[in-house]
Amino acid sequence: MGGGGLEAPPEEHTAREAVNGDDNVADGSGDSLAGDKEELKTGHDWMEMKMEDTKEDDTESSRGEGDKTGEGFQKIVNDDTSSNKVFGGRRNPAVTVEEEERPPPLPAKNPPDEQAPVPQSPGSRSTVSTVTTTNGTHGQTSQRAELHSTGAINHVQRSSPLSSMVFVVTALENIAASKEARKKKTLNDSVQAALSAIKQEDASPNPEIIFEPLRQATETSSIPLTTTALDCIGKLISYSYFSMPAVNQDPSSPPKQPQAPLIERAIDTICDCFQDEATPAEVQLQIVKSLLAAVLNDKIIVHGAGLLKAVRQIYNIFLLSKSSANQQVAQGTLTQMVGTVFERVKMRLTLKEARLNMSKVASEKGTANGSQVDLNGSSSVLELPESDTATEADGSSEATFTVASDQPVRKEPGEKLTLQSFENAKNFDDTRIGDNAPTMVTRAKAASKVSVHASAQYQASPMNGYEEHTEHDFSDEDEEDEIFVKDAFLVFRSMCRLSIKILPQDQQQDLKSQNMRSKLISLAIIRTLLNNNMEVFNSPLVIIRSSTNNEPTSFGQAINQYLRLALSRNGASPVKQVFETCTEIFWLMLREMRVMLKREIEVFLKEIYLSILERKNASNFQKLYVMKILRRLANDPKALVEMYLNYDCDRTALDNMFQRTIEQLSRISSSPVIISPQQQQLYQEQHAKDLDADLDWHDHGKMPPPLTTSSLSGPSSHDLDMPIEFILKQQSLECLVRTLLSLINWSQENLAAAAAKLDDQHPRLSTDDFRESLDPEQLVGSPRPSAVDTPIAPSTPLLEDDPGQLERAKQRKTALINGIRQFNFKPKRGIKTLINEGFIKSDSPEDIATFILQNDRLDKAMIGEYLGEGEPHNVATMHAFVDSMDFVKRRFVDALRQFLQSFRLPGEAQKIDRFMLKFAERYITGNPNAFANADTAYVLAYSVIMLNTDQHSSKMKGRRMTKEDFIKNNRGINDNADLPNEYLAGIYDEIAHNEIVLNTERENAAALGIAAQANAGGIASRAGQAFLTATRDLQREAYVLASEEMSSKAEQRIRNMIRSQRKQATNQTIPKYIPATSFKHVGPMFDVTWMSFLSGFSGQMQDTQNLETIKMCMEGLKLAIRIACLFDLETPRVAFVTALAKFTNLSNLREMMPKNVEALKVLLEVAQTEGNMLKTSWRDILTCVSQLDRFQLISGGVDEGVVPDVSKARIIQPARVPSNTTRRSGQPARRPRPPVNTASSAYQVDVAQESRSTGMIRGVDRIFTSTAELSGDAIVHFVRALSEVSWQEIQSSGQSDSPRTYSLQKLVEISYYNMTRVRFEWTNIWQVLGEHFNEVGCHSNTTVVFFALDSLRQLSMRFMEIEELPGFKFQKDFLKPFEHVMANSSAVTVKDMVLRCLIQMIQARGDNIRSGWKTMFGVFSVAAKEPYEAIVNLAFDHVTQVYNNRFGVVISQGAFADLVVCLTEFSKNLKFQKKSLQAIETLKSTVPRMLKTPECPLSHRVDNSISGRPQDMAVIPRQVSRQTQEEQFWFPVLFAFHDVLMTGDDLEVRSQALNYLFDTLITYGGDFPPEFWDILWRQLLYPIFMVLKSKSEMSKVLNHEDLSVWLSTTMIQALRNMITLLTHYFESLEYMLDRFLDLLALCICQENDTIARIGSNCLQTLILQNVAKFQPEHWNQIVGAFVELFDRTTAYQLFTAATSSSNSSYISEDDGHRRTSIGERASLNGLPLTETPTEENVSISPEDNSNGVSVNGNDHGEVDGSGSPNGNISSHQASAPSDLEDYRPQSGQQQQPVVVTATRRRFFNKIITRCVLQLLMIETVNELFSNNEVYAQIPSPELLRLMALLKKSYSFAKKFNNDKDLRMRLWREGFMKQPPNLLKQESGSAATYVSILVRMYHDEGEERRRNRAETEAALIPLCTDIIRSYVLLDEETQQRNIIAWRPVVVDVMEGYTNFPRVDFDKHIEKFYPLAVDLLNRDLGSDVRLALQGLLRRIGEVRMEMISPQTPVQTPTSPRSVSSSYFGRRPSRGR
């Protein structure tokens, strides 16, 4: 027999032996049979039974079940000869027929109307019950089975007697009449016995007797006899007659050897009639009919071997029959048989689900505590162990049920998904589920009866009884279910095995060959079974038990291993029919079984289907069919989302499947194809038909196609009428659009479902509800996740597809891919990135090596480069890499191949050497006995590499290495011994015939159609060579090669996957399948693929003119924009909207085509539908709208040159255009140029007409009118975009008289449309609009400005109509553009228009203005600064009107301060003094008017003080303010005066302001609280004098000359006014005394002599005017001020100036660490002393010697200490040069002038200034305390504290004067023109000190007397020191010093002379010697008189001499030498 046909099935005998080997029939069978015979005597003759016709279909498959094909069954069945009756480790309740001891069905004993037959149909079949067996035992199982058997028999009895057995008698009579019966006695005898048995009326005939003649008749060679017998056997099987076992007629006869079951023998008899293809067609047909009857019988159902034999025989007839009709009938019958097997499983599944649901309801009703009811084995199906649950839910069933040897193995992270050990590595152990399992039958019982019976029991039985019953009943049901499932498993497994046979190429091309037809029919049946019975494959309730561990496995997981192998073997087949069928199978797996087959689908997609699209040499039919599947996939949103979740977000996945699919479609869609318009039209017509045909793919899959030899034809060579590339291009575009549509639908449906779920607060209670919650609205094509995980769903399903978590997983995967990409470009950088990202645990060589070895995405060449580097870390990594490989028990060449598959060997010899050394070491470690040592392995490995290069490199020229050469080269390498020649020759042959080449390179070569073995070079060369033989069909050979490569790779990955899953059997890390529930995944999906979508659409849009294609592209763009908007993806949104806008081509009007108009329509539609989410993309849309308006104008007749192009921003020249053409946009009308309108010739007429169509105009209008419906954020984006476009229009218009203002007008329009928006939104809108009006209002084109201002005025008037509540400021913001334009515009006409707009608003809406007053006054303030008199006058007049007429309203709206500011600006106008004076007067008048205005709260104080009751408030609501009333009303007015006096240009105005300021303060300040006085001090009063601290502040406002005038006039007057103010309110302001003192100190320390003296005078005035008010604390503050002043004016730098540079010396005014008062917040470092002196303000020049600087070099000598004239000595020593070499250039005082830098000069000047100011302070103290009132008021401690300052000053000056070396150095360095000294400071401070202390000493007041001791102690030492120093002065050289000190000496002697007697006497010893010394001097008359008086007094006291009375100066009078000393003030200059 050829092909797949079978001879007598050899396994038949094995099956019989298996049956016969079991226990014999029970002894008691005879009794049972006799009992059954009694039933026959019920009055009905067996002959009268009415036989019903069976529903057979002999010539066609009426059931419409499935279809698939197969090879020969013989080999498949022979593989499973070891099975037996034990199934799943327990006794099977189904029985063989010889064990059955009951007769066939007989007429019923019941009345005819009691039991009606249940009609049978495929959709509602009766349930079945197993025929029982005792098997010699009487256990529980037998009893249960007997119960079922009885029920079955009762049920199948007919309600009416069968009328005849004519067909049996007729058949037997025909046989008896034949010549064969006459020839063959046994046949004739058996026929007669059967006829006589039938004729016996008292007994039913034995089935054996009836069967025997029929069996013998089939063995004859007569066709009629055989046909007759087969027909009769078939009918008897249909009536279940042969289900009765054989029995002995005589009970006493000995038992015979048990025979095979009668039903099995009957099927065998039918099957034996077919011998081979020579069997007559009639017999073949009758065999088919009879076997179909046997299998389709629903009363007694055949299982096991009988079923498979029937299926096998039909299969053989299909393959071997030469009759096409019989082939067709056999195919239909085979399909119907297999379909029936699965239909029965579906029926059992339905019943099982019903049982579970009823049990659940019962448990809910009967279990108060909520305990779970055990469902007898069904619960074990649902409640699997945790690990099983997780595994099954993942769909990776392989790991769940394995043999014991495959128990837990740790997961190897690097395990690749391949297929090597597929047949051996089964996930489901079915070794004992054989095809030759014993034939079993089960009887049917009424489904309705059972269900009613069960439900009654559920309701009636108590709970414990219910549990007992269900455990007893349902376990049998589950066992019966498993019998049916096992049949389905065996049938499906057989079909899969038949399909995987590998055929040679010649048979692949011959579709009519038996092997090819076998493959086709098996695949077709697989497809049909999957298509029609998917619930069987997916349901977790359809279970089958493993042969080893008896664990239940779902049916889908059990058949998984066979299904995926069948697909991997045939998925890439070059045979069209095979490929299409496999692709359909794959589609069913992808659509319905992806939960279970997650990894398999991934492999098939990557290695086969997507690879086909990538390969250029793939067949067209393959690409088209793959595209068809992708079109279906694109329609299934759930599948798309789950593809992304489970592959793109899974780091362990092979690839990003969703992303890769979209990229492939995009690549195809954007590839260029040349096509004619006619072909495009043809495609459009055909495409509609194909699309309709593919919609019912499910119906097409219900029946397999005809596979008879006549219907099959060879490969079609018919070419399509158009390029295949174009079809693919269009279909890929359609797929892209459908994908986007599906994503949109998924988002919207899930949004709706989520919203609905919020309303549903009830927990889910059933598995169905749970599935619905995971599968909203039961989307088409969504497989249900395995319910094994959740038999009863929790109330809240856990969200497995958490978008946030998955997005993080996706980001991690993206990071991994980026790291790998970097490695493939720069390995070191990639490794660093991968370590930083955490993908490689550490930088240890082991971790790096592990990652490299396990990751197959790394480029092999780059791995070789990285590991081959010579750096220590790389070498260590390479060693760890090689150590990770296992070469144990591997052949050397195999190990080398494995080694070289993991990387590409680099070209450098050193790198190769390192690799080979390590390989040799590793190989010898694993195989120590292989060679003598590692050197042998090293040399041999190197030799093999060289051989491989020599044999296969295309670069090798000349003679190649022979086998003898190779053997010779390897002599003596095994430790000086030779390796066997046979071994080396074998290596040579293997390498020569099988190159060592990377698999990846072989795959790439196959993909490119390059022969892998054609000297591709492998390691030696990266590129292969193309086929060179032109005589062959190169394209087909290349394609077949590629197909084999794809299948091989897919199979390899599947095998690796199985191996990996076996190792992970109990590992919980197996990735779980993630069902999609959330709409949020669509955003990330689109985010990673949007560029592919854009590329696919834009390429087609540019290339084609076909409107249908254009519309599809537009639809795609629209959907893409919708997704981008929905998920707020900015970059994609901008890209798609920009692409769509550019495609409108509105920037190139002459080339606009209908397709561009389509794009424009879509753009307008997008603006309508997605407006709320467009954000910045509005800019592109509104630009297009503007361009469309331009196009409408031009096509309507306006000259193109007059209408500027926004996109080009072309500036056009001004043009005058008559206005006789109406313009749509509302712009000034234009008319075309003189030539005739050329629009029609310049633009396509239809395009121009369409642009002006009503629909287009309405579409544009809707964009603007619908802005009122936009969200608050969206309207802001819209307005901003429209503003930008408007600005572009205006810019492009240049200085044209008729600029484009289309968008500007639209801005005004949408403002009206959105007028009703809430103010919060309007505020945001106006921020944008206001900015735009600011820009436009300042444009140089006044036409534009006027239009904008007028529009703004109209809008403002409209907004004024809406009442504004207090506290809001919208009016203020709205009017701001007027202020901006007024301030920034340079055109007087524009300024005038701004003012007139405001004036009109005030006149028309004055009563409604609220916060707008602020902005209006702001505008008038800007106008007040203008140099144009008309503008200033207009503004001032209207401000005056407002002041006169609406003053109360202004106050109530909080704009009083703005009004004051406005008047202030008018007051400061320099150009128009008249207006300034008017304004300052108006400003002054605001104070009394404010106090009289009822709206002002201050008026109520006045009124209350007068009337004692508050006045009524104004009607207009006041603005809320957080300020105090003083801050609201007093401060603005006072600050206005301050502002004018500080910054006013006119001296008269400044003086007025200064006077008004202090007049107001003095007049009204009595009511000011202290807090307000603080504010005034900080912000008004003290800042007047801030110029003294930092002139830079004032110099910003005034130039140098103005500053001097201001200082000498305004500021001095202000200072005096300040003292007046303090004096006036001293009681209120006494706490501010320290601030005033600080201010005066600031003035005194100025370089300007006038300011300093004014400060000093004011200080004296302050003290004199308030001396009576001072308290001790005030005196403390005053003296403290003097302390600070003395400290700040002490020139400490004198002692460092000669040795330090000016860069490092900085005079700080805070050297004395004085405290900073409240009134002086700024640092004092910036005082004017730092300024360079100028002739205006410098008071001290370097030449000034007013502080006693000697001009003649006469120095003051040192006189303190011992009294020796040290000063003289030092001066003489200094004047004589002691070292000529060192000092000669500097000797003498007439040296050349020293060059002093400007910086150092400033430094010196600051020191001199301090010295002068110190002298001024001494003078001030002297003058101040010479005043009797001041002297009388100051407490003595404070006065003594003050005297200490004078003493300190004296000591400082004396120290400096005595340091002659320092003074000379200063002089030499250019400090002054003469050596400096501080003579006047020294003598002046001493004179004042002595004068005041002497007066205190002689004061007889109580307080002074208490402090006399302290006074005396301070006075006496200094007096003696003064006289002693004076005595030592040299009269020749120090004459100037003598003159200076003489008054002081006189004062001292006179003061001492007047001491009281006791005190005088105390100090005579001190003064008398000094007086005697004075006699040696040349004394003047005044000194002589004083000395005379002193000596006379000494004489009186000590000698009691009485001298004549001479007038003595009263000691208490202020006459002292100090007054005469300071009588002449030193001139300090100006």
Side-chain angles (χ1 to χ4, degrees), residues 474-613:
F474 278 179
S475 60
D476 288 347
E477 296 286 353
D478 292 336
E479 289 173 3
E480 285 185 22
D481 289 344
E482 201 167 328
I483 296 172
F484 287 86
V485 175
K486 181 180 143 188
D487 287 342
F489 174 79
L490 292 175
V491 170
F492 194 87
R493 182 179 69 178
S494 300
M495 293 301 153
C496 291
R497 286 178 170 176
L498 290 169
S499 68
I500 63 176
K501 182 176 181 180
I502 300 175
L503 305 182
Q505 190 170 341
D506 55 341
Q507 290 190 15
Q508 289 186 20
Q509 297 180 17
D510 181 13
L511 293 178
K512 298 184 180 181
S513 68
Q514 290 178 354
N515 282 338
M516 180 50 70
R517 289 177 61 231
S518 170
K519 185 181 287 287
L520 288 173
I521 188 67
S522 57
L523 288 173
I525 289 178
I526 292 173
R527 175 197 171 185
T528 304
L529 290 177
L530 288 171
N531 187 78
N532 298 342
N533 307 281
M534 190 54 74
E535 55 264 51
V536 174
F537 294 91
N538 281 337
S539 175
L541 300 179
V542 180
I543 60 167
I544 186 170
R545 295 186 180 273
S546 168
S547 300
T548 1
N549 51 18
N550 203 28
E551 288 292 338
T553 304
S554 73
F555 181 75
Q557 292 169 340
I559 58 90
N560 179 6
Q561 54 196 351
Y562 300 104
L563 176 60
R564 62 191 179 192
L565 183 58
L567 197 56
S568 65
R569 286 275 174 89
N570 302 293
S573 171
V575 181
K576 181 177 180 180
Q577 289 84 345
V578 174
F579 178 80
E580 290 181 354
T581 305
C582 287
T583 308
E584 290 291 346
I585 293 174
F586 172 73
W587 164 242
L588 290 167
M589 292 166 56
L590 176 62
R591 184 178 183 275
E592 302 286 357
M593 304 172 70
R594 58 178 181 269
V595 175
M596 187 190 317
L597 304 176
K598 174 179 176 179
R599 290 301 184 209
E600 290 81 351
I601 289 173
E602 177 185 26
V603 172
F604 294 138
L605 262 179
K606 177 178 173 61
E607 304 299 347
I608 297 180
Y609 297 106
L610 293 182
S611 294
I612 286 173
L613 293 180

Side-chain angles (χ1 to χ4, degrees), residues 1705-1721:
S1705 298
Y1706 180 71
I1707 300 178
S1708 171
E1709 300 302 330
D1710 293 334
D1711 286 341
H1713 308 289
R1714 69 178 180 90
R1715 58 187 174 81
T1716 301
S1717 68
I1718 298 173
E1720 185 179 359
R1721 298 300 181 194

